[in-house]
Amino acid sequence: MCGIVGIVGRSDVAPQIVDALKRLEYRGYDSAGVATISGGRLARRRAEGKLGNLERKLAEEPLPGRIGIGHTRWATHGVPNETNAHPHFSGEVAVVHNGIIENFAELRAELAAEGQEFESQTDTEIVAHLVSRGMRQGLGPVEAAHEALKRLRGAFALAIIFAGDDDLLVGARSGPPLAVGYGEGEMYLGSDAIALSPFTSNITYLEDGDWTVVRRSGATFHNAEGHEVSRKRTRSSAVSFFVDKGNHRHFMEKEIWEQPDVVSHTLSHYLDFAEGKVRNVRTPFDFASLDRLTISACGTAYLAGLVGKYWFERLAKLPVDIDVASEFRYREAPLSKNGAAIFISQSGETADTLASLRYCRAAGSPIGAIVNVGDSTIAREADMVFPTLAGPEIGVASTKAFTCQLAVMASLALMAARARGTVDTEAEREFVRQLAETPRLMSEALKLEGPIEKLSHRLSKYRHVLYLGRDTSFPLALEGALKLKEISYIHAEGYASGELKHGPIALIDETMPVIVIAPHDRIFEKSVSNMQEVAARGGKIVLITDRKGAEAATVETMDTLVMPDAGDLVAPIIYAVPVQLLAYHTAVFMGTDVDQPRNLAKSVTVE
Ligand code: AGP
């Protein structure tokens, strides 16, 4: 997934484009580039690596021009180098692209057969050649662009400019989002409202299949057939300030430490702490009449849903079918007529999650979305948004969004339990009390940072780590493994503790630390047995537990982290903190790029 920007401006646009790209770097940062038109000619600067490399190049060789396009890349086709960096040129045409042209090989072969040569390995370059070919065949720029769009299959958001016209910017959307922004005598195109937030909050989102013709005087919108259509203007809620790290070394560190506040803020949206009740938040379905709830998401968001499954089934006796969205979207799952679906996504733009939402929409299910970006595509396509009030999450590794997703899931499960009569007023009050304690307990957990940092230096010497957990600690084991591997690049796996003896125990020896997440709950003894099985085979154990658990664990450990006592319901939210801190400090000690780990991006808008 990449970020694209286009500006038809009143003065030189390159600095504005770079400013917008900074807000899109979370979408990918393998390379970046800007192209403008000046004196009737196209010119561009491109650079491999982070956006700062492009900024330095532009400082040395400024790019004049009152119209331009820009791009920050997450490589899909072609290695991340300058040649494959966007914008891509062909004749008078320059293109930037977010997505994947799935029939690019066929189109490339067609163009090659006509003698077209290629500069890059990218699918995007094909688009520039198709448009340029149309113009050589006598079509005007807009018509040539429209004809080229008809040839493309796959997911794409495009911005195109033409050397002969410095007042023409064409945009198109098929899948990944694209927004038009309205300025004073200038117009904008961007992957999302955050990118355009420095210039305007006056936004129109293209609908799937739309393309748009943008000039300084305004924009027209057209559907796939080319008919002009009207699209509504909205006022974006995207942040207009650029989030900074404060006095933290990394966004991830800042976001870990923000959790008590943002979880508290999120919980207060759903719970009346004073009354000890769950608020009557509007839902697009009646929990009392549901016979099944489908949950789907990706990555960490999926793991939040996995915890939610335990809560919905245990508290509300509501059966939950949960799957990773990349599987769910093709699984052809039969959906109940009395069912509903909830999709979880920090960015609200994850392609697989959006596709799964559309599958359920097509089947007529009422749709809820737990999202952190209020005007994202998933938010717009759901019947009801259940917001996580985490604020902008910049670190690629999701932390505060995850615990806020858990806070929302716990609140919705409680809401469902009340609606279904499976929890009485007294029990509701107790659960709300536990949840109200969460921010304080997370702050307590953060005080373990010193011992965790020491432990991380020892952990960084290993190449493989196993995380174990039972019940709602099992998704936490998966999340701890995901956090560690995605930012420290150490291989890590999460397993249900009870599964250890069914295979993974063959891995156990002194070279593979085992991190056991086990608050002292009703099945704690089972976790003790698992730890004994590990110890008997020379395995090194790190136990994350509470005071009672530390006292009851009759096994020698490499380290034991003693967490504050927490109710069963909220334990997963609290225990997220040590696994996040462990991954963070291991990555810092290993010197990886914590906020922008290699090969990753914050929002995966391609499948
Ligand atoms: C989280 O640490 C990961 N970076 C990733 O798994 C992420 O959770 C996943 O891509 C889903 O993103 P979303 O919440 O924006 O849909």
Side-chain angles (χ1 to χ4, degrees):
M1 56 301 343
C2 309
I4 68 172
V5 176
I7 298 180
V8 193
R10 293 192 305 266
S11 56
D12 284 352
V13 294
Q16 288 173 285
I17 289 176
V18 171
D19 190 6
L21 289 179
K22 282 178 184 170
R23 289 164 174 73
L24 288 172
E25 234 193 331
Y26 71 92
R27 289 169 157 271
Y29 34 85
D30 291 330
S31 63
V34 175
T36 59
I37 297 171
S38 174
R41 299 171 58 82
L42 283 170
R44 67 183 168 188
R45 304 286 182 271
R46 300 181 292 176
E48 187 178 331
K50 298 285 169 54
L51 190 55
N53 299 342
L54 176 66
E55 281 188 285
R56 277 185 288 282
K57 190 168 272 193
L58 282 163
E60 287 154 19
E61 305 169 78
L63 254 189
R66 297 188 312 142
I67 180 171
I69 53 179
H71 185 270
T72 182
R73 185 171 185 238
W74 183 78
T76 54
H77 294 70
V79 296
N81 62 16
E82 183 171 335
T83 305
N84 289 326
H86 303 206
H88 288 286
F89 284 5
S90 176
E92 302 180 9
V93 179
V95 178
V96 289
H97 165 223
N98 172 28
I100 291 180
I101 309 293
E102 292 184 354
N103 61 331
F104 111 94
E106 166 201 326
L107 294 170
R108 185 180 173 110
E110 177 187 314
L111 289 160
E114 296 168 1
Q116 178 64 56
E117 293 184 356
F118 301 92
E119 178 196 62
S120 77
Q121 306 157 298
T122 68
D123 52 346
T124 308
E125 187 184 343
I126 306 302
V127 180
H129 292 317
L130 287 175
V131 179
S132 176
R133 182 178 70 176
M135 293 177 71
R136 289 198 305 274
Q137 290 167 351
L139 297 178
V142 172
E143 208 182 343
H146 183 215
E147 288 307 309
L149 291 175
K150 292 177 186 172
R151 299 294 314 277
L152 306 182
R153 275 205 324 276
F156 50 86
L158 296 166
I160 309 171
I161 55 176
F162 308 82
D165 188 340
D166 87 338
D167 186 22
L168 173 60
L169 169 64
V170 172
R173 177 201 173 188
S174 176
L178 193 61
V180 168
Y182 302 86
E184 301 296 322
E186 50 186 31
M187 291 287 287
Y188 317 98
L189 203 52
S191 291
D192 59 27
I194 295 178
L196 304 183
S197 56
F199 318 124
T200 181
S201 58
N202 208 343
I203 301 285
T204 294
Y205 279 96
L206 276 74
E207 295 189 10
D208 235 353
D210 283 358
W211 50 284
T212 179
V213 178
V214 181
R215 299 179 187 281
R216 280 182 193 82
S217 55
T220 55
F221 298 89
H222 308 263
N223 62 18
E225 292 67 42
H227 304 308
E228 189 163 344
V229 291
S230 70
R231 294 291 180 244
K232 70 178 188 302
R233 280 196 195 192
T234 57
R235 187 151 294 284
S236 153
S237 58
V239 289
S240 56
F241 56 90
F242 188 56
V243 182
D244 66 24
K245 287 180 249 191
N247 58 1
H248 292 280
R249 288 169 293 180
H250 301 100
F251 281 111
M252 184 178 176
E253 183 184 44
K254 173 173 176 272
E255 289 151 8
I256 288 172
W257 282 86
E258 283 176 339
Q259 290 183 111
D261 289 344
V262 296
V263 165
S264 174
H265 188 38
T266 299
L267 285 169
S268 59
H269 181 83
Y270 297 91
L271 305 176
D272 181 334
F273 294 128
E275 294 291 317
K277 296 163 69 74
V278 64
R279 294 186 196 283
N280 267 330
V281 169
R282 237 162 30 88
T283 65
F285 35 73
D286 169 12
F287 275 121
S289 60
L290 290 187
D291 61 12
R292 176 165 290 278
L293 179 64
T294 296
I295 299 177
S296 192
C298 298
T300 289
Y302 162 73
L303 299 175
L306 211 46
V307 177
K309 172 183 171 68
Y310 285 90
W311 286 336
F312 276 110
E313 292 185 342
R314 186 166 290 152
L315 294 184
K317 307 302 175 219
L318 174 58
V320 170
D321 171 23
I322 180 166
D323 203 350
V324 290
S326 53
E327 286 300 308
F328 181 82
R329 68 182 288 182
Y330 294 116
R331 210 180 72 196
E332 297 170 39
L335 298 176
S336 162
K337 286 277 168 287
N338 298 319
I342 289 182
F343 298 90
I344 309 168
S345 176
Q346 188 286 128
S347 64
E349 299 299 348
T350 300
D352 288 323
T353 309
L354 178 59
S356 298
L357 182 155
R358 290 174 176 169
Y359 173 86
C360 292
R361 161 76 70 222
S365 295
I367 309 272
I370 299 176
V371 293
N372 198 40
V373 179
D375 50 0
S376 58
T377 304
I378 287 174
R380 288 200 306 277
E381 297 200 13
D383 296 313
M384 178 57 63
V385 170
F386 303 116
T388 51
L389 304 175
E393 185 177 72
I394 308 301
V396 165
S398 189
T399 50
K400 63 177 183 173
F402 175 64
T403 47
C404 286
Q405 287 159 359
L406 292 178
V408 176
M409 298 298 285
S411 305
L412 292 177
L414 202 44
M415 197 185 298
R418 291 296 287 135
R420 300 165 70 86
T422 52
V423 157
D424 64 19
T425 314
E426 200 40 46
E428 177 186 16
R429 187 169 297 116
E430 169 54 17
F431 285 128
V432 171
R433 186 197 63 74
Q434 280 190 33
L435 286 164
E437 288 278 284
T438 308
R440 179 182 64 78
L441 294 172
M442 295 179 90
S443 299
E444 287 299 308
L446 285 164
K447 290 175 185 165
L448 286 169
E449 180 166 48
I452 290 173
E453 187 171 1
K454 281 203 188 68
L455 170 61
S456 71
H457 297 173
R458 299 171 64 192
L459 201 64
S460 63
K461 295 177 177 42
Y462 294 93
R463 303 317 309 143
H464 303 279
V465 180
L466 194 58
Y467 285 75
L468 299 180
R470 282 181 180 269
D471 201 80
T472 52
S473 295
F474 165 45
L476 261 287
L478 296 173
E479 170 61 5
L482 175 59
K483 284 278 120 10
L484 186 70
K485 69 183 121 182
E486 70 173 329
I487 62 174
S488 75
Y489 315 147
I490 294 173
H491 171 243
E493 280 187 79
Y495 258 93
S497 305
E499 274 298 289
L500 188 68
K501 53 191 175 293
H502 299 289
I505 199 162
L507 294 170
I508 299 302
D509 62 24
E510 70 289 344
T511 68
M512 184 174 203
V514 180
I515 298 181
V516 180
I517 302 168
H520 190 278
D521 54 19
R522 59 191 171 81
I523 49 174
F524 181 75
E525 288 71 34
K526 311 292 179 197
S527 299
V528 173
S529 307
N530 297 136
M531 289 190 284
Q532 281 160 350
E533 290 156 16
V534 170
R537 290 159 180 82
K540 296 182 184 309
I541 297 162
V542 173
L543 174 58
I544 307 178
T545 185
D546 47 32
R547 185 179 38 77
K548 269 177 143 182
E551 287 159 8
T554 54
V555 67
E556 193 185 332
T557 66
M558 173 180 169
D559 204 343
T560 297
L561 299 174
V562 182
M563 293 282 287
D565 292 348
D568 289 354
L569 175 66
V570 300
I573 307 176
I574 317 297
Y575 281 64
V577 171
V579 299
Q580 293 165 352
L581 286 172
L582 190 55
Y584 172 73
H585 284 291
T586 303
V588 169
F589 191 69
M590 296 182 74
T592 57
D593 189 335
V594 172
D595 283 332
Q596 296 184 333
R598 70 185 183 195
N599 307 341
L600 287 176
K602 184 65 181 170
S603 173
V604 184
T605 59
V606 293
E607 65 170 298

